[in-house]
């Protein structure tokens, strides 16, 4: 979901910030069993990258898929993400003597300054950051939520059970959709954040319900709606990455091991989602 890691939404684009407590259930969740014509098996899990303690236990299929697998795969290895946080912030800062004011429209800068003033954040605290980094910071979940995502829970289980953890992409690949934005694109992304604040969006509780009940198509549609004013970024952050992941997932299926691949739930649904792409390549994909 909003593209798990200590980078929080400093990388990912679909965060769950609220919800209510649920009992574990055998109903369908954002978990799928993938079977190749040759008999290889893999499990897919759609993640909510940030949850509250009240949102546990996870739906039962997550633990069933974990127990049935010998290896765990996230979007990137969480340990690598921890090491990359400083690098991401460095990439998102202007050189000494430069500032945001020199790279965005004066009206944008005035709005950003007034926004932060209402939050009692002084200008010198944000004006050295590139617009895409400001957007990511504004989207980041509170620290107490970012430590309760699906990845963090499964990582703890993997360590306890001595299961290996790898990533679908390198940290550099993971950061590239943001780091590669030019000034104009970064400004557009930041403005979209403010535009979406004024739009009628589904409540977080509703989004959480969709995730918990396995409605991946609804989640994918929500992501498309969020970036309707910047479809090229939607392709960069979701669609293009989905396509790049497929050959790696196929290698996992052919390996003779059983992998559990966990990525944001927004990557799973829709016609360009991981589930649809695997089905188009002849795999049987069953939702649990």
């Amino acid at each position: 979901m909003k593209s798990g890691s200590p980078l929080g939404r400093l990388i990912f684009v679909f965060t769950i910030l609220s919800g209510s407590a649920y009992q574990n259930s055998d109903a369908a969740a954002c978990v799928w069993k993938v079977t190749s014509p040759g008999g290889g098996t893999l499990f897919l899990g759609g993640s909510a990258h940030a949850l509250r303690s009240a949102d546990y236990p996870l739906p039962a299929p997550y633990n069933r898929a974990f127990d049935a697998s010998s290896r765990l795969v996230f979007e990137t290895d969480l340990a690598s993400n921890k090491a990359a946080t400083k690098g991401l912030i460095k990439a998102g800062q202007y050189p000494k003597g430069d500032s945001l004011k020199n790279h965005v429209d004066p009206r944008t800068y005035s709005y950003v300054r007034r926004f932060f003033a209402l939050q009692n954040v002084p200008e010198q605290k944000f004006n050295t950051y590139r617009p895409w980094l400001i957007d990511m910071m504004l989207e980041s979940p509170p620290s107490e939520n970012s430590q309760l995502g699906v990845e963090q829970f499964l990582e703890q289980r993997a360590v306890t059970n001595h299961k290996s953890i790898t990533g679908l992409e390198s940290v550099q690949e993971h950061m590239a959709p943001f780091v590669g934005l030019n000034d104009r694109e970064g400004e557009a992304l930041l403005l979209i954040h403010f535009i979406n604040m004024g739009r009628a969006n589904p409540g977080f509780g509703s989004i959480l319900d969709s995730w918990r009940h396995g409605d991946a198509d609804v989640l994918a549609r929500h992501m498309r709606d969020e970036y309707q004013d910047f479809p090229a970024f939607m392709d960069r952050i979701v669609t293009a990455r989905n396509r790049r992941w497929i050959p790696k997932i196929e290698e996992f299926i052919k390996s003779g091991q059983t992998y559990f691949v966990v990525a944001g739930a927004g990557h799973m649904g829709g016609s360009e989602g991981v589930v649809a792409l695997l089905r188009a390549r002849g795999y049987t994909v069953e939702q649990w």
Side-chain angles (χ1 to χ4, degrees):
M1 293 165 69
K2 229 170 182 176
S3 219
S5 78
L7 298 180
R9 158 74 161 115
L10 282 186
I11 292 289
F12 295 114
V13 193
F14 197 48
T15 300
I16 301 276
L17 298 181
S18 67
S20 55
Y22 289 83
Q23 296 300 315
N24 217 339
S25 168
D26 288 331
C30 283
V31 178
W32 296 263
K33 181 179 180 180
V34 182
T35 308
S36 73
T41 299
L42 174 140
F43 293 94
L44 291 174
S47 173
H49 296 310
L51 295 168
R52 305 180 316 172
S53 56
D55 298 320
Y56 283 84
L58 296 179
Y62 287 90
N63 284 316
R64 292 207 310 268
F66 178 90
D67 292 338
S69 304
S70 56
R71 299 172 185 268
L72 189 60
V73 182
F74 296 136
E75 293 183 25
T76 60
D77 175 25
L78 297 189
S80 298
N81 279 345
K82 295 172 186 176
T85 304
K86 289 184 179 179
L88 181 70
I89 294 176
K90 183 178 180 180
Q93 286 186 299
Y94 291 111
K96 188 175 181 179
D98 200 357
S99 77
L100 177 70
K101 191 173 185 178
N102 299 326
H103 295 269
V104 298
D105 187 282
R107 292 167 296 181
T108 300
Y109 190 81
S110 177
Y111 187 91
V112 172
R113 183 174 55 191
R114 285 186 282 118
F115 173 84
F116 279 110
L118 291 173
Q119 313 300 319
N120 296 316
V121 177
E123 192 170 355
Q124 62 268 27
K125 291 290 186 180
F126 70 83
N127 67 358
T128 62
Y129 294 142
R130 299 179 188 274
W132 58 261
L133 185 61
I134 294 175
D135 170 74
M136 294 163 74
M137 290 177 169
L138 292 175
E139 294 278 3
S140 296
S143 58
E144 65 270 20
N145 295 88
S146 64
Q147 298 305 311
L148 291 172
V150 173
E151 288 89 350
Q152 284 73 23
F153 174 81
L154 294 176
E155 181 189 30
Q156 292 173 5
R157 287 206 64 196
V159 170
T160 300
N161 290 272
H162 306 289
K163 291 187 180 183
S164 68
I165 305 174
T166 56
L168 281 167
E169 56 194 6
S170 69
V171 171
Q172 290 72 26
E173 290 172 323
H174 194 56
M175 295 192 303
F178 291 96
V179 175
L181 293 171
N182 60 35
D183 285 338
R184 184 170 176 271
E185 292 169 329
E187 182 177 3
L189 188 65
L190 181 58
L191 290 174
I192 285 170
H193 171 86
F194 292 121
I195 290 169
N196 285 337
M197 287 173 59
R199 282 177 173 158
N201 293 311
F204 287 120
S206 174
I207 295 171
L208 184 63
D209 284 343
S210 296
W211 165 75
R212 182 167 289 276
H213 294 109
D215 295 331
D217 288 342
V218 171
L219 299 174
R221 186 162 58 249
H222 176 77
M223 290 190 70
R224 285 197 306 274
D225 290 346
E226 183 174 1
Y227 292 104
Q228 61 184 283
D229 298 313
F230 197 173
F233 186 73
M234 175 65 185
D235 180 74
R236 184 181 299 186
I237 196 68
V238 178
T239 310
R241 292 171 69 209
N242 292 350
R243 292 194 292 263
R244 288 199 303 269
W245 291 348
I246 295 302
K248 297 181 181 181
I249 291 173
E250 290 186 300
E251 290 177 10
F252 296 150
I253 296 172
K254 296 172 184 177
S255 69
Q257 302 286 333
T258 302
Y259 284 78
F260 185 19
V261 177
V262 180
H267 289 278
M268 299 299 165
S271 60
E272 294 290 334
V274 173
V275 169
L277 292 175
L278 287 172
R279 283 177 174 153
R281 295 180 70 84
Y283 295 93
T284 301
V285 186
E286 307 168 275
Q287 189 165 17
W288 274 26

